[in-house]
Amino acid sequence: MTKNEAGKAVLVTGASSGIGHASALMLAEHGFRVFAAARSTGKLRDHAARGAGRITPIALDVTSAGSIAAAMQAVKESGDQLYGLVNNAGISVTGPVEETSVDDWRRQFETNVFGVVAMTQAVLPAMRAAHEGRIVNVGSVAGRIVAPFMGAYGSSKHALEGLTDALRREVKPFGLKVSLIRPG
C-alpha cells in the first residue's frame, strides 16, 4: 500500500505478531484505517492503543467460513469501504516429508493457501464494484527455494506464488492490483 492510498480501509490477517503486527501499525501510521485480524483478539489490544484510533481489532480465523463472514460483516458495519487486504495469516508445519502426517499437510494448506483463497473471494466483489483495490499476499523465499524439513511450508508458499500470478492477471482489467511479498 502506498501513502497516496492513505485514508482507505485495509484488512490485515494474522495481525497478532510478526509481519502482520508490523504491517497493521505501519499502515495506521501512514493514514490507513486498519482492521487488524487474528484468531484471538487478546493479542491485538495494543494495536488499538498504538494505532492513533485507526486500528480496529477483529476476530478472524481464515479457515472458518463463519469467522470470515462475521469479520466481513464487522467491516461492513463500520461504514468503511475496504480498499486493501493483506493476506498474512499463516502457520509453519515442519518436519521431513516422509514423517509429516497428511493431516498436518492439510492443515498447512488450509491456512496458507485455502485461507488466502477464501479471504480473497470475500473481498473481491466489493473491490471489483469499486474498480479499485489492492491485495498483498505474504509469501516466503521458501516458496522458491525450500530447505530440508520445510516441505509442507515451502509447498504451501509455492502454491501461493501460482495463486498470486493467476489472480494478478484475472483482476487487472477491473483496476485491482495484486502483489506478493517474499520475506526471508
mmCIF file of all heavy atoms in Angstrom, residues 101-135:
data_model
loop_
_atom_site.group_PDB
_atom_site.id
_atom_site.type_symbol
_atom_site.label_atom_id
_atom_site.label_comp_id
_atom_site.label_asym_id
_atom_site.label_seq_id
_atom_site.Cartn_x
_atom_site.Cartn_y
_atom_site.Cartn_z
ATOM 1 N N SER A 101 2.630 -35.898 8.796
ATOM 2 C CA SER A 101 1.349 -36.544 8.508
ATOM 3 C C SER A 101 0.582 -35.796 7.419
ATOM 4 O O SER A 101 0.728 -34.584 7.262
ATOM 5 C CB SER A 101 0.493 -36.629 9.775
ATOM 6 O OG SER A 101 -0.019 -35.356 10.105
ATOM 7 N N VAL A 102 -0.232 -36.525 6.710
ATOM 8 C CA VAL A 102 -1.071 -35.918 5.680
ATOM 9 C C VAL A 102 -2.024 -34.902 6.322
ATOM 10 O O VAL A 102 -2.312 -33.854 5.742
ATOM 11 C CB VAL A 102 -1.834 -36.998 4.876
ATOM 12 C CG1 VAL A 102 -2.853 -36.377 3.938
ATOM 13 C CG2 VAL A 102 -0.846 -37.855 4.093
ATOM 14 N N ASP A 103 -2.486 -35.178 7.537
ATOM 15 C CA ASP A 103 -3.336 -34.214 8.237
ATOM 16 C C ASP A 103 -2.600 -32.896 8.486
ATOM 17 O O ASP A 103 -3.181 -31.823 8.371
ATOM 18 C CB ASP A 103 -3.848 -34.789 9.558
ATOM 19 C CG ASP A 103 -4.935 -35.828 9.356
ATOM 20 O OD1 ASP A 103 -5.545 -35.865 8.260
ATOM 21 O OD2 ASP A 103 -5.173 -36.609 10.297
ATOM 22 N N ASP A 104 -1.297 -32.982 8.826
ATOM 23 C CA ASP A 104 -0.517 -31.759 9.013
ATOM 24 C C ASP A 104 -0.340 -31.015 7.690
ATOM 25 O O ASP A 104 -0.372 -29.787 7.650
ATOM 26 C CB ASP A 104 0.845 -32.070 9.635
ATOM 27 C CG ASP A 104 0.762 -32.286 11.137
ATOM 28 O OD1 ASP A 104 -0.253 -31.899 11.751
ATOM 29 O OD2 ASP A 104 1.718 -32.856 11.710
ATOM 30 N N TRP A 105 -0.137 -31.767 6.601
ATOM 31 C CA TRP A 105 -0.064 -31.129 5.274
ATOM 32 C C TRP A 105 -1.381 -30.413 4.972
ATOM 33 O O TRP A 105 -1.376 -29.288 4.479
ATOM 34 C CB TRP A 105 0.220 -32.171 4.190
ATOM 35 C CG TRP A 105 1.657 -32.551 4.063
ATOM 36 C CD1 TRP A 105 2.339 -33.451 4.813
ATOM 37 C CD2 TRP A 105 2.592 -32.037 3.112
ATOM 38 N NE1 TRP A 105 3.649 -33.539 4.389
ATOM 39 C CE2 TRP A 105 3.828 -32.678 3.339
ATOM 40 C CE3 TRP A 105 2.503 -31.105 2.083
ATOM 41 C CZ2 TRP A 105 4.959 -32.416 2.588
ATOM 42 C CZ3 TRP A 105 3.636 -30.844 1.324
ATOM 43 C CH2 TRP A 105 4.847 -31.492 1.582
ATOM 44 N N ARG A 106 -2.500 -31.057 5.271
ATOM 45 C CA ARG A 106 -3.808 -30.432 5.020
ATOM 46 C C ARG A 106 -3.981 -29.160 5.849
ATOM 47 O O ARG A 106 -4.474 -28.157 5.357
ATOM 48 C CB ARG A 106 -4.935 -31.420 5.324
ATOM 49 C CG ARG A 106 -5.107 -32.465 4.268
ATOM 50 C CD ARG A 106 -6.369 -33.299 4.512
ATOM 51 N NE ARG A 106 -6.488 -34.286 3.472
ATOM 52 C CZ ARG A 106 -6.264 -35.586 3.624
ATOM 53 N NH1 ARG A 106 -5.928 -36.070 4.815
ATOM 54 N NH2 ARG A 106 -6.389 -36.410 2.613
ATOM 55 N N ARG A 107 -3.596 -29.235 7.110
ATOM 56 C CA ARG A 107 -3.697 -28.066 7.994
ATOM 57 C C ARG A 107 -2.837 -26.920 7.454
ATOM 58 O O ARG A 107 -3.250 -25.763 7.453
ATOM 59 C CB ARG A 107 -3.254 -28.467 9.406
ATOM 60 C CG ARG A 107 -3.490 -27.437 10.471
ATOM 61 C CD ARG A 107 -3.268 -28.034 11.865
ATOM 62 N NE ARG A 107 -1.956 -28.640 12.038
ATOM 63 C CZ ARG A 107 -0.883 -28.010 12.500
ATOM 64 N NH1 ARG A 107 -0.957 -26.738 12.843
ATOM 65 N NH2 ARG A 107 0.264 -28.642 12.634
ATOM 66 N N GLN A 108 -1.644 -27.256 6.965
ATOM 67 C CA GLN A 108 -0.742 -26.257 6.384
ATOM 68 C C GLN A 108 -1.406 -25.574 5.192
ATOM 69 O O GLN A 108 -1.431 -24.340 5.092
ATOM 70 C CB GLN A 108 0.557 -26.932 5.928
ATOM 71 C CG GLN A 108 1.564 -25.998 5.282
ATOM 72 C CD GLN A 108 2.236 -25.109 6.291
ATOM 73 O OE1 GLN A 108 3.166 -25.508 6.943
ATOM 74 N NE2 GLN A 108 1.760 -23.906 6.428
ATOM 75 N N PHE A 109 -1.941 -26.346 4.265
ATOM 76 C CA PHE A 109 -2.568 -25.782 3.069
ATOM 77 C C PHE A 109 -3.890 -25.096 3.386
ATOM 78 O O PHE A 109 -4.248 -24.100 2.750
ATOM 79 C CB PHE A 109 -2.744 -26.862 1.990
ATOM 80 C CG PHE A 109 -1.539 -26.992 1.105
ATOM 81 C CD1 PHE A 109 -0.378 -27.586 1.575
ATOM 82 C CD2 PHE A 109 -1.548 -26.483 -0.180
ATOM 83 C CE1 PHE A 109 0.756 -27.689 0.774
ATOM 84 C CE2 PHE A 109 -0.417 -26.580 -0.988
ATOM 85 C CZ PHE A 109 0.733 -27.182 -0.510
ATOM 86 N N GLU A 110 -4.616 -25.607 4.373
ATOM 87 C CA GLU A 110 -5.894 -24.992 4.750
ATOM 88 C C GLU A 110 -5.691 -23.543 5.177
ATOM 89 O O GLU A 110 -6.460 -22.670 4.797
ATOM 90 C CB GLU A 110 -6.549 -25.798 5.878
ATOM 91 C CG GLU A 110 -7.990 -25.439 6.131
ATOM 92 C CD GLU A 110 -8.911 -25.748 4.962
ATOM 93 O OE1 GLU A 110 -8.761 -26.811 4.338
ATOM 94 O OE2 GLU A 110 -9.795 -24.916 4.669
ATOM 95 N N THR A 111 -4.646 -23.294 5.919
ATOM 96 C CA THR A 111 -4.380 -21.931 6.385
ATOM 97 C C THR A 111 -3.659 -21.103 5.322
ATOM 98 O O THR A 111 -4.125 -20.021 4.950
ATOM 99 C CB THR A 111 -3.523 -21.953 7.669
ATOM 100 O OG1 THR A 111 -4.201 -22.719 8.669
ATOM 101 C CG2 THR A 111 -3.269 -20.544 8.178
ATOM 102 N N ASN A 112 -2.537 -21.592 4.829
ATOM 103 C CA ASN A 112 -1.668 -20.777 3.978
ATOM 104 C C ASN A 112 -2.139 -20.620 2.545
ATOM 105 O O ASN A 112 -1.713 -19.687 1.868
ATOM 106 C CB ASN A 112 -0.251 -21.359 3.969
ATOM 107 C CG ASN A 112 0.443 -21.236 5.300
ATOM 108 O OD1 ASN A 112 -0.165 -20.968 6.318
ATOM 109 N ND2 ASN A 112 1.739 -21.464 5.302
ATOM 110 N N VAL A 113 -2.976 -21.518 2.062
ATOM 111 C CA VAL A 113 -3.443 -21.428 0.679
ATOM 112 C C VAL A 113 -4.958 -21.207 0.635
ATOM 113 O O VAL A 113 -5.433 -20.192 0.121
ATOM 114 C CB VAL A 113 -3.055 -22.672 -0.141
ATOM 115 C CG1 VAL A 113 -3.550 -22.547 -1.583
ATOM 116 C CG2 VAL A 113 -1.544 -22.885 -0.119
ATOM 117 N N PHE A 114 -5.717 -22.146 1.191
ATOM 118 C CA PHE A 114 -7.170 -22.042 1.093
ATOM 119 C C PHE A 114 -7.704 -20.859 1.901
ATOM 120 O O PHE A 114 -8.717 -20.258 1.532
ATOM 121 C CB PHE A 114 -7.831 -23.350 1.504
ATOM 122 C CG PHE A 114 -7.333 -24.520 0.693
ATOM 123 C CD1 PHE A 114 -6.960 -25.701 1.307
ATOM 124 C CD2 PHE A 114 -7.207 -24.439 -0.685
ATOM 125 C CE1 PHE A 114 -6.482 -26.775 0.565
ATOM 126 C CE2 PHE A 114 -6.726 -25.507 -1.438
ATOM 127 C CZ PHE A 114 -6.370 -26.675 -0.802
ATOM 128 N N GLY A 115 -7.025 -20.497 2.991
ATOM 129 C CA GLY A 115 -7.409 -19.298 3.739
ATOM 130 C C GLY A 115 -7.240 -18.041 2.900
ATOM 131 O O GLY A 115 -8.069 -17.133 2.936
ATOM 132 N N VAL A 116 -6.166 -17.986 2.130
ATOM 133 C CA VAL A 116 -5.934 -16.851 1.229
ATOM 134 C C VAL A 116 -7.017 -16.810 0.154
ATOM 135 O O VAL A 116 -7.560 -15.745 -0.153
ATOM 136 C CB VAL A 116 -4.525 -16.926 0.594
ATOM 137 C CG1 VAL A 116 -4.371 -15.912 -0.533
ATOM 138 C CG2 VAL A 116 -3.458 -16.734 1.658
ATOM 139 N N VAL A 117 -7.359 -17.964 -0.394
ATOM 140 C CA VAL A 117 -8.412 -18.018 -1.415
ATOM 141 C C VAL A 117 -9.733 -17.531 -0.826
ATOM 142 O O VAL A 117 -10.429 -16.696 -1.422
ATOM 143 C CB VAL A 117 -8.565 -19.445 -1.985
ATOM 144 C CG1 VAL A 117 -9.794 -19.553 -2.883
ATOM 145 C CG2 VAL A 117 -7.314 -19.861 -2.747
ATOM 146 N N ALA A 118 -10.090 -18.027 0.358
ATOM 147 C CA ALA A 118 -11.358 -17.647 0.980
ATOM 148 C C ALA A 118 -11.420 -16.157 1.282
ATOM 149 O O ALA A 118 -12.440 -15.507 1.025
ATOM 150 C CB ALA A 118 -11.570 -18.473 2.254
ATOM 151 N N MET A 119 -10.335 -15.602 1.810
ATOM 152 C CA MET A 119 -10.321 -14.162 2.102
ATOM 153 C C MET A 119 -10.400 -13.342 0.820
ATOM 154 O O MET A 119 -11.115 -12.337 0.746
ATOM 155 C CB MET A 119 -9.061 -13.789 2.893
ATOM 156 C CG MET A 119 -9.064 -14.270 4.324
ATOM 157 S SD MET A 119 -10.505 -13.730 5.282
ATOM 158 C CE MET A 119 -10.418 -11.947 5.093
ATOM 159 N N THR A 120 -9.680 -13.773 -0.187
ATOM 160 C CA THR A 120 -9.687 -13.069 -1.467
ATOM 161 C C THR A 120 -11.083 -13.095 -2.072
ATOM 162 O O THR A 120 -11.590 -12.061 -2.532
ATOM 163 C CB THR A 120 -8.648 -13.691 -2.422
ATOM 164 O OG1 THR A 120 -7.355 -13.578 -1.805
ATOM 165 C CG2 THR A 120 -8.645 -13.009 -3.771
ATOM 166 N N GLN A 121 -11.728 -14.234 -2.045
ATOM 167 C CA GLN A 121 -13.084 -14.333 -2.574
ATOM 168 C C GLN A 121 -14.055 -13.459 -1.787
ATOM 169 O O GLN A 121 -15.001 -12.920 -2.354
ATOM 170 C CB GLN A 121 -13.557 -15.785 -2.571
ATOM 171 C CG GLN A 121 -12.847 -16.642 -3.593
ATOM 172 C CD GLN A 121 -13.231 -18.113 -3.512
ATOM 173 O OE1 GLN A 121 -13.764 -18.591 -2.508
ATOM 174 N NE2 GLN A 121 -12.942 -18.840 -4.584
ATOM 175 N N ALA A 122 -13.805 -13.289 -0.497
ATOM 176 C CA ALA A 122 -14.691 -12.474 0.341
ATOM 177 C C ALA A 122 -14.603 -10.981 0.011
ATOM 178 O O ALA A 122 -15.593 -10.263 0.114
ATOM 179 C CB ALA A 122 -14.378 -12.705 1.816
ATOM 180 N N VAL A 123 -13.426 -10.516 -0.386
ATOM 181 C CA VAL A 123 -13.259 -9.071 -0.630
ATOM 182 C C VAL A 123 -13.409 -8.666 -2.094
ATOM 183 O O VAL A 123 -13.687 -7.510 -2.386
ATOM 184 C CB VAL A 123 -11.898 -8.553 -0.099
ATOM 185 C CG1 VAL A 123 -11.742 -8.841 1.390
ATOM 186 C CG2 VAL A 123 -10.733 -9.093 -0.888
ATOM 187 N N LEU A 124 -13.219 -9.596 -3.007
ATOM 188 C CA LEU A 124 -13.192 -9.223 -4.428
ATOM 189 C C LEU A 124 -14.474 -8.598 -4.972
ATOM 190 O O LEU A 124 -14.389 -7.633 -5.742
ATOM 191 C CB LEU A 124 -12.782 -10.411 -5.295
ATOM 192 C CG LEU A 124 -11.285 -10.604 -5.448
ATOM 193 C CD1 LEU A 124 -10.989 -11.824 -6.314
ATOM 194 C CD2 LEU A 124 -10.600 -9.379 -6.017
ATOM 195 N N PRO A 125 -15.661 -9.078 -4.627
ATOM 196 C CA PRO A 125 -16.846 -8.450 -5.218
ATOM 197 C C PRO A 125 -16.935 -6.944 -4.967
ATOM 198 O O PRO A 125 -17.199 -6.169 -5.890
ATOM 199 C CB PRO A 125 -18.010 -9.200 -4.564
ATOM 200 C CG PRO A 125 -17.437 -10.549 -4.256
ATOM 201 C CD PRO A 125 -16.011 -10.266 -3.842
ATOM 202 N N ALA A 126 -16.679 -6.513 -3.741
ATOM 203 C CA ALA A 126 -16.749 -5.078 -3.435
ATOM 204 C C ALA A 126 -15.618 -4.307 -4.109
ATOM 205 O O ALA A 126 -15.822 -3.201 -4.602
ATOM 206 C CB ALA A 126 -16.712 -4.858 -1.921
ATOM 207 N N MET A 127 -14.433 -4.882 -4.134
ATOM 208 C CA MET A 127 -13.309 -4.216 -4.791
ATOM 209 C C MET A 127 -13.564 -4.069 -6.289
ATOM 210 O O MET A 127 -13.304 -3.024 -6.873
ATOM 211 C CB MET A 127 -12.005 -4.988 -4.563
ATOM 212 C CG MET A 127 -11.451 -4.881 -3.179
ATOM 213 S SD MET A 127 -9.882 -5.811 -3.086
ATOM 214 C CE MET A 127 -9.391 -5.429 -1.418
ATOM 215 N N ARG A 128 -14.088 -5.125 -6.883
ATOM 216 C CA ARG A 128 -14.380 -5.077 -8.317
ATOM 217 C C ARG A 128 -15.440 -4.017 -8.604
ATOM 218 O O ARG A 128 -15.321 -3.249 -9.554
ATOM 219 C CB ARG A 128 -14.836 -6.458 -8.797
ATOM 220 C CG ARG A 128 -14.328 -6.820 -10.144
ATOM 221 C CD ARG A 128 -14.641 -8.217 -10.622
ATOM 222 N NE ARG A 128 -15.854 -8.812 -10.102
ATOM 223 C CZ ARG A 128 -15.905 -9.770 -9.172
ATOM 224 N NH1 ARG A 128 -14.793 -10.244 -8.662
ATOM 225 N NH2 ARG A 128 -17.047 -10.260 -8.771
ATOM 226 N N ALA A 129 -16.468 -3.950 -7.764
ATOM 227 C CA ALA A 129 -17.533 -2.951 -7.947
ATOM 228 C C ALA A 129 -16.993 -1.531 -7.804
ATOM 229 O O ALA A 129 -17.440 -0.619 -8.496
ATOM 230 C CB ALA A 129 -18.663 -3.197 -6.950
ATOM 231 N N ALA A 130 -16.006 -1.362 -6.917
ATOM 232 C CA ALA A 130 -15.404 -0.039 -6.698
ATOM 233 C C ALA A 130 -14.352 0.300 -7.750
ATOM 234 O O ALA A 130 -13.896 1.439 -7.835
ATOM 235 C CB ALA A 130 -14.774 0.031 -5.309
ATOM 236 N N HIS A 131 -13.949 -0.669 -8.547
ATOM 237 C CA HIS A 131 -12.890 -0.510 -9.559
ATOM 238 C C HIS A 131 -11.569 -0.048 -8.966
ATOM 239 O O HIS A 131 -10.797 0.655 -9.618
ATOM 240 C CB HIS A 131 -13.333 0.453 -10.674
ATOM 241 C CG HIS A 131 -14.522 -0.028 -11.411
ATOM 242 N ND1 HIS A 131 -14.468 -1.055 -12.328
ATOM 243 C CD2 HIS A 131 -15.827 0.363 -11.353
ATOM 244 C CE1 HIS A 131 -15.682 -1.267 -12.801
ATOM 245 N NE2 HIS A 131 -16.533 -0.434 -12.228
ATOM 246 N N GLU A 132 -11.332 -0.455 -7.716
ATOM 247 C CA GLU A 132 -10.040 -0.177 -7.098
ATOM 248 C C GLU A 132 -9.831 -1.122 -5.935
ATOM 249 O O GLU A 132 -10.778 -1.611 -5.339
ATOM 250 C CB GLU A 132 -9.918 1.274 -6.636
ATOM 251 C CG GLU A 132 -10.808 1.642 -5.469
ATOM 252 C CD GLU A 132 -10.502 3.017 -4.920
ATOM 253 O OE1 GLU A 132 -9.596 3.707 -5.441
ATOM 254 O OE2 GLU A 132 -11.148 3.401 -3.948
ATOM 255 N N GLY A 133 -8.585 -1.361 -5.646
ATOM 256 C CA GLY A 133 -8.244 -2.208 -4.518
ATOM 257 C C GLY A 133 -6.888 -2.842 -4.720
ATOM 258 O O GLY A 133 -6.355 -2.884 -5.835
ATOM 259 N N ARG A 134 -6.346 -3.317 -3.615
ATOM 260 C CA ARG A 134 -5.034 -3.966 -3.656
ATOM 261 C C ARG A 134 -5.051 -5.144 -2.696
ATOM 262 O O ARG A 134 -5.496 -5.022 -1.558
ATOM 263 C CB ARG A 134 -3.934 -2.999 -3.260
ATOM 264 C CG ARG A 134 -2.546 -3.644 -3.257
ATOM 265 C CD ARG A 134 -1.454 -2.667 -2.882
ATOM 266 N NE ARG A 134 -1.330 -1.603 -3.840
ATOM 267 C CZ ARG A 134 -0.546 -1.641 -4.919
ATOM 268 N NH1 ARG A 134 0.171 -2.714 -5.173
ATOM 269 N NH2 ARG A 134 -0.478 -0.608 -5.733
ATOM 270 N N ILE A 135 -4.546 -6.259 -3.167
ATOM 271 C CA ILE A 135 -4.373 -7.454 -2.340
ATOM 272 C C ILE A 135 -2.880 -7.740 -2.273
ATOM 273 O O ILE A 135 -2.213 -7.789 -3.308
ATOM 274 C CB ILE A 135 -5.138 -8.656 -2.926
ATOM 275 C CG1 ILE A 135 -6.642 -8.365 -2.914
ATOM 276 C CG2 ILE A 135 -4.814 -9.934 -2.149
ATOM 277 C CD1 ILE A 135 -7.485 -9.383 -3.644
#
